[in-house]
Amino acid sequence: MNKIDWKRKLSSRKLWAAAAGIVTGLAMVFGLDENTISSVAGAVVSVASVVAYVLAEGSVDAARAGRRELHE
């Protein structure tokens, strides 16, 4: 059984775009006004950007630390 790479999945822009689409669609179904829908979609995209950045930087730092250990 393969292990799921959660870091890669959570940093996927496609995942967060899909999440924003789902949230926007649900907001429309429940009759929220356009300003609220825009705010919620913007919040989802903002959170996605931060999560992707943190995971990417963590991976870079871990790789850098691994290379540093090899050279010592």
Side-chain angles (χ1 to χ4, degrees), residues 5-60:
D5 185 1
W6 287 106
K7 283 184 183 180
R8 188 172 56 84
K9 288 203 180 284
L10 290 176
S11 64
S12 167
R13 290 174 289 185
K14 292 176 187 174
L15 169 72
W16 291 103
I22 290 169
V23 169
T24 302
L26 288 173
M28 292 171 77
V29 167
F30 289 111
L32 297 176
D33 63 64
E34 290 182 23
N35 290 333
T36 303
I37 293 170
S38 295
S39 296
V40 171
V44 170
V45 172
S46 296
V47 168
S49 297
V50 171
V51 168
Y53 176 79
V54 168
L55 292 175
E57 286 298 312
S59 295
V60 168

